[in-house]
Amino acid sequence: MASQSHTFVGPPIEARRFLSHFSASTPRHWCGGNAMLTHFLNSYTLLVPGNEGYYIRTLKRVMPSLSDPAMRTMVAQFLLQEGQHGAGHHRCWRMLESQGYRISGFQRRVDGFLYKVLEPITPLRLRVAMVACVEHVNAYLGHEFLAQDLLRDADPDLRALFEWHFAEEIEHKHVVFDVLHVRGGGYLLRVFATLLVLPLFYLLMGLGAAMLLQQDKLLWRRSTWTQLRQHLFSKDHMARRTLGYLFDYLRPGFHPWQLDDRELARMVIDRYSTPEAPVLEPLPRSQAA
C-alpha cells in the first residue's frame, strides 16, 4: 500500500460472538505453565473491558461528524467487535476470582483513574489519537502472538479467546487511524498521543502482572525473571520487535496496512468458525445492523 494512502481497505469487519466459557479448573498458569506470560495476558484481560468501553464512548462521539457512509458502517462494526471483546474478557474475571486471585481493587483503581479522572479532561481529538495508538499496540501484539504461535501450549479455551481477539484486532487495525486522519489529526498529535499512551499502557500491564505474580508468591523468583528475559530478548524477541513497530508508527507516512497480515487473521477466524470448532458465531443481524 502506498505510504500516503488513506483509503479504507483491509478485510471486511464482521462482528462475532465468542462462545467458549472458562472454568475454575483451568490451570492457574494456563499459558503452558509459564507464570510470567500467563499473568501478562491476565493483566491484559483486566484492562480490556474498561478500554473497550472507552473506545466505544469515544467513537460514538465522533460518528455524527463522519460524512462517508462506508466509514460510518466500518466504525459501527468496529464498535460491535470491541463490545464483544469486552464481554469475552470480562468472563475471565470470574475464573480468576474462583482461582483465588484478588483483582477487584486493581480494576477499580485503574478504571477510576483512567475513566473518571483522565477521560473527562481529555479533548475528543486527543482521545481519538490515543485510541488509535492503543489499537496499533493491540495489532502488533496480535501479530506477534499469532505469527510466533506463542499460545500453542495454552489452555484451549483461553487460547481461543486471545487468538480470536488478536485476529479481530488485525482485521480492524486501520479503523481508528483512518477516523483520526479524516478528523484532521495530524502527525504531531499522533506523536503526542503516543508519548502519553505507551508509558501508561505498559505501566498498567506491568503493575497488573506484578500484582498477580505477587499473589502467587512468584514475583521475585528467578524463574519468573528468566521467563521475562526470554519473552523480551532471547526467545520471543518482543523488546526488539516492539521498538520496530513503534518506530514504524512514528514515521510521518505510516499506515496500518503497510503490514498486510490479513491472511494471518483470516486463518484464525476460519479455524474457530468451523462446525467442528464452534467457538465463534456471527452476531444476529438485528444486533449487527
Side-chain angles (χ1 to χ4, degrees), residues 25-41:
S25 64
T26 301
R28 290 175 73 87
H29 302 147
W30 53 262
C31 196
N34 186 315
M36 186 284 302
L37 197 53
T38 294
H39 286 318
F40 174 84
L41 294 171

Side-chain angles (χ1 to χ4, degrees), residues 28-31 34-46 96 99 101 205-216 218 224:
R28 290 175 73 87
H29 302 147
W30 53 262
C31 196
N34 186 315
M36 186 284 302
L37 197 53
T38 294
H39 286 318
F40 174 84
L41 294 171
N42 283 340
S43 180
Y44 188 85
T45 281
L46 295 180
L96 292 170
Q99 291 177 333
Y101 292 108
M205 287 281 288
L207 288 175
M211 177 265 298
L212 294 166
L213 285 164
Q214 180 63 35
Q215 292 183 34
D216 277 343
L218 293 175
T224 301

Side-chain angles (χ1 to χ4, degrees), residues 77-108:
Q77 293 299 107
F78 165 83
L79 296 179
L80 287 170
Q81 280 193 341
E82 297 291 25
Q84 291 301 309
H85 295 171
H89 282 273
H90 192 265
R91 297 210 300 268
C92 281
W93 294 10
R94 293 191 292 273
M95 178 199 77
L96 292 170
E97 289 173 330
S98 69
Q99 291 177 333
Y101 292 108
R102 300 178 300 280
I103 61 174
S104 59
F106 174 81
Q107 180 269 322
R108 283 198 306 270

Side-chain angles (χ1 to χ4, degrees), residues 49-120:
N51 282 348
E52 308 297 15
Y54 179 72
Y55 305 163
I56 291 168
R57 290 190 299 275
T58 299
L59 272 293
K60 279 186 174 180
R61 288 273 307 277
V62 171
M63 277 189 73
S65 68
L66 301 177
S67 59
D68 186 324
M71 176 171 267
R72 289 173 61 88
T73 298
M74 182 178 68
V75 171
Q77 293 299 107
F78 165 83
L79 296 179
L80 287 170
Q81 280 193 341
E82 297 291 25
Q84 291 301 309
H85 295 171
H89 282 273
H90 192 265
R91 297 210 300 268
C92 281
W93 294 10
R94 293 191 292 273
M95 178 199 77
L96 292 170
E97 289 173 330
S98 69
Q99 291 177 333
Y101 292 108
R102 300 178 300 280
I103 61 174
S104 59
F106 174 81
Q107 180 269 322
R108 283 198 306 270
R109 286 192 290 272
V110 169
D111 283 6
F113 173 67
L114 292 180
Y115 311 124
K116 294 181 179 178
V117 176
L118 288 185
E119 182 178 346

Side-chain angles (χ1 to χ4, degrees), residues 124-134 180 189-190 193 249:
L124 180 59
R125 188 175 296 179
L126 178 56
R127 285 173 55 189
V128 175
M130 293 170 73
V131 174
C133 179
V134 180
L180 178 65
L189 180 63
R190 172 152 49 104
Y249 190 71

